[in-house]
Amino acid sequence: MDFSAVSSALKAIGELTQEVTSLWGVDEQVEGLASELRWMQSFLKVADARKVDHEVIRTTVVEIIELAYDAEDVIEVFALKVASKRKGGFSNCIKRSACFLKEGCLLHQIKSEIEKITTRIEVLTRQLKTYDVSKLVVDGEGLSSSTERLEARRPYPHVMDDNIVGLDDGIKDLVTVLLDEQSERRVVSICGMGGLGKTTLAKKIYHHSQVVGHFKHLVWVYVSQHCQRRKVWEDILSDLILSEEDRKVNVEKLAKKLSSFFEENKCLVILDDVWSIEAWDSLKQAFSARETKSKILLTSRNKDIVSHADRNGYLYELQELNYNQSWELFQKIAFPQTNSPGYKIDAKMKELGEEMVKHCAGLPLAIIILGGILATKYPSLAEWLKVSANVKPYLNNDKGEVLRDVLALSYDDLPPYLRPCFLYLSHFPEDYEIPANRLIQLWVAEGIVSSKQEEGDEGQIAEDVAEGYLLELAERCMIQVRERDIATLKIRSFQMHDLMRDVCLSKEKQQKFLYIADQSNACQLSSIGRVRRVSAHKLFWIQCIKSPHLRSLLFFDTFLPGEEMEKEKVLTMARHDESFNPLVWFIAIGVLGTKLRGIWKYMFNNFNFLRVLDYERGGVAGCKLPNDIGKLIHLRFLSLRDLTFGSSKLPSSLGNLRCLQSLDLRIKNTRFKSAHVPNVLWRMQQLRHLYLPVECNRKTKLKLGTLRNLQTLVNFNTKNCYVKDLIYMTNIRELKIRGPFNIEDFNTELGKNPPIVQSKYLHSLSIINYEGRLDPRHLTHLLT
């Protein structure tokens, strides 16, 4: 369940209540709201710990998250519009007295909003008394379906799969490692996402003639998500020497007996489906023998386990099947007569099958399910055509339930802090390569990930916490890493397997996490009461969104695609006007400008609580960025990258966006190469990531010394920025200096031996197109 919404609201209240004077007028209401939010947080934790899966609980969780978002919004309005103005001395008091009436009205409005939210919580509390969580668990109505899924997929080592493709290399490698008695590798692991065939490969090893001949005893035990230590040990002993007396001894004696047996006998123990390091730690006492030739083979979706279990352990990572292997496996199942002499596959069916198998993305379980569905419809070409037109729905129907359940188990096993992180990935289109840095900035901006503070320690900043979460998703095989940093091995970009993404989308819809919009479904947005997040995969008119409490808006299409422009007759005429009629072009530009201004105006006037605004693919965005952007005072993340404007000047109202954490100003313009950035960025003292335009004009001169939290600074230029400001950026991690400039500028401003950057965190430095010699002393100081 998503705790982040409630935690974020409590954090906002906590920061506000640090200054008691700021709460004058709403102190009782805020304290009452905080108390109710803590109750909601406790409710979510209890429901999650007991794995309650009941319609009443699901509905309640969605309502609690909505209440938490509303609470955070109203508290932040108070913090930004009232509390922030109460700071300062006598001069600030005079300014406030001029608009005292306005502040009083706003205070009354905020007080009323808080009371409404508290009333809604009280109503929800009364309703829940009828549906007590513990009662639901006891009655068995709300027991987690993951338990049933686990039992349904329990493997039996004697049951072998006939249709196996692409495992020969894995069998060869694993058998070699297991038979090598000189090796110090005691733990061997098969890892990969659900449905890849880990258990199938382990069964092949279990029955392999060389393995059977080498080990005196072979034991197979199913561990599962809900690891029960005593049961696992008893299952192992039952395959060996378990007696009735053994069932009565305590766990310490049971572990000692197993450990002694493995030391005296050459055994292979296969632990199938180990989910966590904690599960291994609970079992390892039974495998503590030091001088032994026994070995352990485990299967898992978590790559961390093998290095934790044995620092010399061997990890075999299963990969998806390539296309030829996928087609070979598909033929074995979908065409039962393939092995018959003289049998020839129908050409049209082959064409359909080759196309359909691509939807399985190399996942053996998906191929087996799809092949099984088509085998029941063979040889009807009409039935095959039906399936071909709707491959994914068939993979998700009752016959595809096994696939859905196997992949859903990975989500069920996620700790609460990782679930909203995983759900957030549903924003991105299919096959999209997601940049890690951008995703981390979005997580932090939305409050899904926050910093960790520990006693006696500086703690971890939010970006480091988020990076750890991303790595954990990779270790759990829920994302596929595409690129790593050569020096640090940190994830730079990744993708989601198509079928894992389907699970993500399914869970996202269940929890109403976001709305994915395009031209086909955008009109439905107007009938949906509250939408917090919208991801626009294809352009639609944002006037369809009627939710004033929208928090994030991500665009994955150009600002105004060519096909939309073609719909306007005047624009089409101008485009095909070979004579270049000035009147036609004047009217066309006017029509286009009106449309674009309408988009911006609607956004700035209706989405006042927006925290994330991200344009991914740029496009023509109008004459200039409107001044009204300063109304979006809640913004944490703003990316204008590659948006094209007629004017090179950005509005000074950007300075109002004091909550901004990430700002990307790498815009384009139609007339000038350079852009003008007003000197207002120094006000954004929460800014952590700043991307300046590739080139700024001569009028741009930015003071950045107040940005003490800055971690990323791209396109810093000595012609437009003050070199001495770098000294104050003690948290900088990535610095990109863009020229042309003369390195002597650094000497002039900072002296002979300038400590240019005093950040101990700096790991990425690039200087583009510099002139003059770079003194080695400068480089040393830059990399301190």
Side-chain angles (χ1 to χ4, degrees):
M1 293 176 188
D2 183 4
F3 299 162
S4 62
V6 182
S7 301
S8 185
L10 283 169
K11 184 182 177 183
I13 292 173
E15 290 172 353
L16 191 62
T17 52
Q18 284 178 359
E19 297 184 31
V20 181
T21 54
S22 296
L23 286 173
W24 180 80
V26 291
D27 47 352
E28 289 183 15
Q29 286 78 12
V30 171
E31 184 52 45
L33 183 58
S35 176
E36 295 293 351
L37 285 169
R38 283 189 283 271
W39 173 85
M40 292 195 299
Q41 194 174 44
S42 300
F43 174 86
L44 290 174
K45 287 180 179 177
V46 169
D48 184 74
R50 299 188 181 186
K51 301 296 180 187
V52 178
D53 188 12
H54 190 282
E55 183 61 32
V56 171
I57 302 301
R58 285 195 293 271
T59 304
T60 303
V61 168
V62 171
E63 182 61 28
I64 285 176
I65 291 169
E66 285 294 319
L67 284 165
Y69 284 145
D70 287 343
E72 187 177 12
D73 286 345
V74 73
I75 289 298
E76 190 160 280
V77 167
F78 179 80
L80 292 172
K81 294 188 176 182
V82 180
S84 62
K85 292 181 173 61
R86 291 177 176 177
K87 298 176 183 177
F90 181 72
S91 61
N92 200 40
C93 289
I94 295 174
K95 290 178 184 177
R96 281 183 58 216
S97 62
C99 54
F100 188 75
L101 186 61
K102 183 179 178 182
E103 183 181 308
C105 292
L106 187 59
L107 194 63
H108 176 74
Q109 184 182 344
I110 290 169
K111 195 172 182 179
S112 176
E113 287 295 324
I114 294 175
E115 287 172 349
K116 284 179 184 177
I117 294 170
T118 307
T119 302
R120 284 166 59 197
I121 295 173
E122 290 170 355
V123 170
L124 182 64
T125 306
R126 286 197 298 271
Q127 290 174 344
L128 280 171
K129 286 180 180 178
T130 315
Y131 302 102
D132 184 58
V133 178
S134 58
K135 183 177 182 293
L136 289 174
V137 174
V138 171
D139 290 348
E141 295 175 32
L143 293 173
S144 173
S145 55
S146 63
T147 305
E148 297 171 14
R149 288 197 282 262
L150 285 167
E151 285 305 312
R153 63 184 299 270
R154 174 185 284 272
Y156 297 93
H158 65 278
V159 180
M160 288 298 295
D161 301 301
D162 297 324
N163 301 308
I164 295 174
V165 171
L167 296 182
D168 293 342
D169 290 341
I171 293 168
K172 184 179 177 182
D173 289 354
L174 290 166
V175 169
T176 302
V177 173
L178 290 170
L179 299 188
D180 184 3
E181 294 188 357
Q182 305 304 315
S183 171
E184 294 183 359
R185 291 168 170 163
R186 288 194 53 226
V187 179
V188 178
S189 178
I190 304 170
C191 285
M193 70 178 283
L196 273 180
K198 300 181 294 295
T199 299
T200 302
L201 178 54
K203 285 182 183 180
K204 295 294 285 185
I205 301 297
Y206 182 79
H207 290 283
H208 197 278
S209 57
Q210 288 179 265
V211 173
V212 172
H214 181 79
F215 292 99
K216 185 176 180 181
H217 298 280
L218 283 90
V219 179
W220 180 289
V221 61
Y222 178 53
V223 179
S224 86
Q225 261 178 311
H226 309 302
C227 176
Q228 299 175 45
R229 178 175 58 177
R230 186 179 186 95
K231 185 176 185 306
V232 170
W233 287 349
E234 286 182 355
D235 285 349
I236 293 172
L237 275 172
S238 66
D239 278 1
L240 300 172
I241 49 168
L242 182 66
S243 63
E244 283 302 316
E245 289 73 21
D246 292 327
R247 294 187 184 276
K248 298 174 184 177
V249 300
N250 59 36
V251 288
E252 288 80 9
K253 289 183 179 179
L254 207 57
K256 188 175 181 180
K257 185 162 188 172
L258 279 170
S259 183
S260 300
F261 189 88
F262 294 141
E263 190 168 13
E264 296 165 6
N265 298 273
K266 192 190 296 184
C267 304
L268 173 64
V269 180
I270 298 178
L271 301 175
D272 185 41
D273 209 21
V274 181
W275 280 81
S276 65
I277 288 172
E278 292 74 21
W280 166 259
D281 284 342
S282 72
L283 300 173
K284 67 182 181 182
Q285 292 89 343
F287 312 110
S288 58
R290 295 184 179 180
E291 301 296 327
T292 179
K293 293 182 179 179
S294 294
K295 295 202 175 183
I296 298 163
L297 173 65
L298 60 87
T299 69
S300 180
R301 304 186 191 194
N302 191 337
K303 290 184 279 190
D304 271 346
I305 293 173
V306 66
S307 58
H308 178 80
D310 181 3
R311 63 182 181 182
N312 298 314
Y314 180 78
L315 172 64
Y316 182 81
E317 288 191 62
L318 262 179
Q319 303 297 325
E320 293 87 1
L321 300 179
N322 60 37
Y323 179 75
N324 290 333
Q325 291 170 332
S326 298
W327 177 242
E328 181 186 346
L329 178 59
F330 179 81
Q331 285 184 94
K332 287 186 174 185
I333 301 162
F335 303 108
Q337 300 90 349
T338 306
N339 297 324
S340 304
Y343 176 78
K344 187 177 180 180
I345 299 173
D346 178 81
K348 182 60 179 176
M349 283 189 164
K350 182 181 179 183
E351 182 186 336
L352 291 171
E354 288 175 337
E355 192 59 35
M356 282 188 282
V357 83
K358 293 176 184 176
H359 288 275
C360 299
L363 196 68
L365 183 59
I367 296 167
I368 290 167
I369 289 169
L370 180 63
I373 291 169
L374 291 166
T376 63
K377 301 178 183 300
Y378 185 85
S380 171
L381 180 59
E383 290 296 320
W384 273 53
L385 284 166
K386 284 182 185 177
V387 177
S388 176
N390 299 281
V391 176
K392 285 203 172 180
Y394 272 95
L395 286 174
N396 288 321
N397 68 9
D398 292 340
K399 291 183 180 179
E401 190 176 348
V402 175
L403 172 64
R404 191 167 61 249
D405 288 349
V406 166
L407 295 176
L409 282 170
S410 290
Y411 178 80
D412 293 341
D413 188 61
L414 288 176
Y417 61 84
L418 275 184
R419 287 179 201 162
C421 296
F422 177 72
L423 293 178
Y424 203 87
L425 303 181
S426 57
H427 277 86
F428 299 91
E430 190 172 3
D431 297 326
Y432 190 89
E433 190 164 332
I434 304 169
N437 281 346
R438 179 181 171 214
L439 175 70
I440 286 170
Q441 290 174 24
L442 288 167
W443 279 350
V444 175
E446 290 246 32
I448 287 172
V449 178
S450 56
S451 58
K452 284 184 178 178
Q453 298 297 327
E454 298 175 9
E455 284 188 34
D457 191 12
E458 293 181 5
Q460 277 187 301
I461 62 169
E463 283 79 1
D464 287 345
V465 175
E467 197 172 283
Y469 289 176
L470 185 62
L471 185 61
E472 192 170 345
L473 287 174
E475 295 295 336
R476 288 171 173 269
C477 301
M478 299 189 77
I479 60 173
Q480 299 171 320
V481 178
R482 288 290 173 254
E483 186 182 357
R484 289 185 183 270
D485 185 273
I486 297 172
T488 63
L489 296 180
K490 291 181 177 179
I491 299 171
R492 294 186 70 176
S493 67
F494 65 93
Q495 285 178 300
M496 290 187 80
H497 190 284
D498 288 352
L499 297 172
M500 185 61 79
R501 181 173 177 271
D502 289 343
V503 171
C504 188
L505 292 173
S506 171
K507 296 294 181 182
E508 165 269 308
K509 285 177 184 174
Q510 190 180 82
Q511 298 190 26
K512 299 180 181 178
F513 189 80
L514 81 139
Y515 191 91
I516 298 173
D518 54 32
Q519 291 168 329
S520 65
N521 66 358
C523 58
Q524 297 173 18
L525 275 167
S526 59
S527 61
I528 298 174
R530 291 202 170 191
V531 177
R532 299 289 179 174
R533 300 181 180 93
V534 172
S535 177
H537 290 185
K538 288 291 182 183
L539 176 103
F540 67 97
W541 297 113
I542 63 168
Q543 287 87 341
C544 295
I545 306 175
K546 303 299 181 185
S547 176
H549 289 269
L550 189 71
R551 292 170 72 91
S552 73
L553 189 52
L554 279 70
F555 291 92
F556 293 92
D557 199 0
T558 50
F559 193 88
L560 194 63
E563 58 264 28
E564 286 299 319
M565 293 190 188
E566 290 291 340
K567 291 179 181 178
E568 294 294 332
K569 292 182 179 179
V570 177
L571 294 176
T572 306
M573 286 171 58
R575 185 170 291 183
H576 296 94
D577 180 25
E578 296 179 2
S579 63
F580 197 79
N581 186 323
L583 180 61
V584 172
W585 277 93
F586 181 78
I587 295 172
I589 292 170
V591 170
L592 178 61
T594 303
K595 271 185 170 293
L596 296 172
R597 280 195 301 274
I599 293 172
W600 288 116
K601 185 177 180 181
Y602 186 84
M603 188 187 302
F604 297 151
N605 289 335
N606 292 278
F607 305 148
N608 294 325
F609 293 97
L610 208 60
R611 289 167 176 250
V612 170
L613 179 58
D614 184 10
Y615 286 97
E616 170 63 14
R617 292 191 57 195
V620 177
C623 178
K624 63 179 181 178
L625 182 65
N627 203 52
D628 282 351
I629 193 169
K631 291 181 178 180
L632 303 182
I633 58 173
H634 297 270
L635 270 182
R636 264 75 166 168
F637 183 104
L638 174 61
S639 175
L640 304 173
R641 186 175 184 177
D642 292 336
L643 286 181
T644 302
F645 295 98
S647 170
S648 64
K649 189 176 181 179
L650 290 168
S652 59
S653 61
L654 282 170
N656 296 342
L657 311 181
R658 302 191 183 193
C659 290
L660 267 180
Q661 297 173 359
S662 298
L663 176 61
D664 195 333
L665 297 175
R666 290 174 288 184
I667 61 170
K668 296 178 180 179
N669 57 75
T670 54
R671 293 186 295 166
F672 308 99
K673 282 187 176 181
S674 59
H676 174 66
V677 182
N679 184 28
V680 294
L681 303 186
W682 60 270
R683 297 178 185 171
M684 305 174 186
Q685 296 183 21
Q686 295 185 38
L687 206 59
R688 304 157 82 96
H689 310 279
L690 175 59
Y691 303 85
L692 293 169
V694 173
E695 189 176 340
C696 294
N697 63 20
R698 292 181 180 181
K699 293 181 180 179
T700 299
K701 200 65 178 177
L702 303 173
K703 293 180 180 179
L704 305 175
T706 57
L707 308 183
R708 306 293 175 94
N709 295 312
L710 212 59
Q711 298 172 33
T712 306
L713 179 54
V714 173
N715 295 332
F716 180 91
N717 193 318
T718 55
K719 289 185 177 180
N720 307 112
C721 307
Y722 296 95
V723 176
K724 63 183 179 182
D725 288 343
L726 291 173
I727 295 174
Y728 304 106
M729 300 175 191
T730 54
N731 293 301
I732 202 80
R733 296 175 172 220
E734 180 185 352
L735 175 61
K736 181 178 286 187
I737 302 174
R738 183 175 288 275
F741 67 87
N742 195 309
I743 198 67
E744 295 305 318
D745 291 343
F746 286 88
N747 290 349
T748 304
E749 273 201 64
L750 300 177
K752 292 181 180 179
N753 191 16
I756 297 175
V757 176
Q758 297 185 351
S759 171
K760 61 183 178 181
Y761 306 107
L762 186 68
H763 63 75
S764 175
L765 166 69
S766 56
I767 302 177
I768 302 171
N769 195 25
Y770 67 88
E771 297 171 354
R773 286 191 308 112
L774 180 63
D775 192 315
R777 291 175 301 169
H778 300 162
L779 191 61
T780 302
H781 283 284
L782 280 167
L783 294 175
T784 299

